[in-house]
Amino acid sequence: GARAPIQSAAAGQGKRQREITPERLGRLIRAASQGSPIVRPQAAQRLEKMGPVAHKAVLDHVRSHGDLFGVGPELLEVAAGLATPGEDTHRDLRARFWGHVGERDFPWRAALVAGLGRHAQPDERERFVELLEDRLLAVRLAALKSFASEGSETLLPLVQSRLEKETEDVALRALARRAYELGHAPSLWLLHAERGRSDYFFDQPVGLVARLEAAKFLKALIPDGPEFDAQAKVQTPGAVKQRKAWRDRIEGIAGPKMESAVDGIAPAGTPVLGLELRSCRRGEFFLRWTDQDQLWVGRGQPRCFDLAKGTHESLIVAARGAAAAMGDRHLTGQPGCDQESFHMRLPDSERSSGYLITKGPAPVPNLRPIALHPLLREMMGSLEGPRLPKGLAEDLREALIDLGGDYRPEPNPKTE
């Protein structure tokens, strides 16, 4: 009688083991590399949980590919996580992954960094340190996770250095959380400030997103902290009272508020034109031109630069021309990891409007509608001059050409 449960468990285990056939593994590998955006991560996670037989199949599949582009990010991340340095058979594959991390134009660098970071080795430390400054937000975040077991003495200065430069709020929150976990209590103020944001990037409620994530982080760091409703508008009496309760709690832990902890910076004047770029190769850019002839770069903690007087008036003329030429055509391309968005809030318009261009990592020549070229040339022209940060215009130009093609040639009606 005592043997029955054991035999049943063994029989069940054997049945599950028999289910892991080459055919099934092949189907899952194809789904993880070629399936829809929803199916790929699910299939990759299933392979990761199936044990040694599946792990070997994944690594063999990756080794057999001369071009890792076709493997896809989800399966590559699993493979990079499985290629542990302690295994001699994994050494060459891990070196190959690191080689692709160093390739500027390889689109799945973030996935490789995330996988390699699960078993980061001492001799790889400097590589991960360099990646904390990478142009891709996803790479910076993945590199940060690779230091999960590192002590505060060596890691905290690196985190604080990056915090001083970071303009992308998603990374700022992750860095602030990590700094607190490393023993820097004042970093709580940075997360607290994120819960006071109500700003928008045109129609995008980035302030609400900041409040939700910051509240989640603070709840994890201080589980017995006061209640906080991140959905509530920041100026309501209840929200003000909740933030004060948290302010008092944090002050007891971290001391006086940090000067750099501000509740989001909204551009002076009204943003009339915006450019949002998200590239799996070139990084992320968030720019807003205002009716005060200023350029704001970034979100949450953006940097502000003065432009030539009258810049916004020229941009509005170009934007009106683009809107008239585009008509009702607001979307170009197919969903993917590359995105180029034009945001407009023109005078006398009832609401914001936008034009979105999207594609996957593969090149698509001349994807951007030619009707947008004159506006884009005007926007890029406004970035020339000593007032702007060095390299911004060139970095943007590379990203724009990679996303939608060159915008500088004069329009050719025959190709539109």
Side-chain angles (χ1 to χ4, degrees), residues 302-358:
R303 293 172 293 164
C304 175
F305 304 94
D306 292 327
L307 300 172
K309 187 176 181 180
T311 295
H312 80 281
E313 295 171 349
S314 300
L315 287 170
I316 287 173
V317 171
R320 291 192 191 281
M326 289 294 292
D328 293 332
R329 185 182 178 186
H330 291 271
L331 178 62
T332 302
Q334 299 294 326
C337 63
D338 284 352
Q339 172 184 323
E340 175 181 317
S341 300
F342 294 81
H343 301 274
M344 302 179 186
R345 184 175 292 144
L346 302 178
D348 304 323
S349 297
E350 295 183 3
R351 59 179 64 89
S352 298
S353 60
Y355 301 92
L356 174 63
I357 302 163
T358 60

Side-chain angles (χ1 to χ4, degrees), residues 116-135:
L116 291 167
R118 296 180 192 176
H119 303 285
Q121 298 297 292
D123 62 351
E124 296 172 337
R125 184 180 186 277
E126 289 307 312
R127 291 178 170 183
F128 284 110
V129 169
E130 291 177 4
L131 293 171
L132 290 174
E133 305 290 331
D134 198 84
R135 68 190 186 281

Side-chain angles (χ1 to χ4, degrees), residues 352-400:
S352 298
S353 60
Y355 301 92
L356 174 63
I357 302 163
T358 60
K359 71 176 185 65
V364 181
N366 304 316
L367 179 63
R368 183 186 306 107
I370 287 179
L372 293 171
H373 284 193
L375 170 60
L376 191 50
R377 287 197 294 271
E378 193 75 30
M379 295 166 79
M380 292 298 291
S382 73
L383 304 184
E384 298 175 0
R387 301 181 181 88
L388 279 299
K390 185 178 179 181
L392 174 62
E394 185 56 34
D395 289 344
L396 267 174
R397 181 176 175 274
E398 283 187 7
L400 287 163

Side-chain angles (χ1 to χ4, degrees), residues 179-200:
Y180 176 75
E181 292 171 340
L182 291 168
H184 189 254
S187 297
L188 289 174
W189 287 116
L190 296 172
L191 291 173
H192 178 64
E194 290 288 275
R195 297 194 306 187
R197 287 178 54 185
S198 59
D199 53 307
Y200 281 74

Side-chain angles (χ1 to χ4, degrees), residues 74-89:
E74 291 83 6
L75 198 60
L76 272 183
E77 181 174 342
V78 170
L82 295 174
T84 54
E87 295 283 344
D88 290 341
T89 57

Side-chain angles (χ1 to χ4, degrees), residues 192-248:
H192 178 64
E194 290 288 275
R195 297 194 306 187
R197 287 178 54 185
S198 59
D199 53 307
Y200 281 74
F201 186 87
F202 292 88
D203 290 333
Q204 300 172 8
V206 291
L208 172 60
V209 174
R211 297 199 304 271
L212 289 167
E213 186 172 68
K216 177 184 175 183
F217 284 2
L218 282 169
K219 183 66 176 176
L221 298 173
I222 309 175
D224 62 344
E227 291 295 319
F228 183 79
D229 181 6
Q231 296 276 5
K233 293 184 178 181
V234 297
Q235 298 304 326
T236 60
V240 172
K241 184 177 180 180
Q242 288 180 340
R243 285 204 308 280
K244 183 181 184 306
W246 265 100
R247 185 168 63 248
D248 295 342

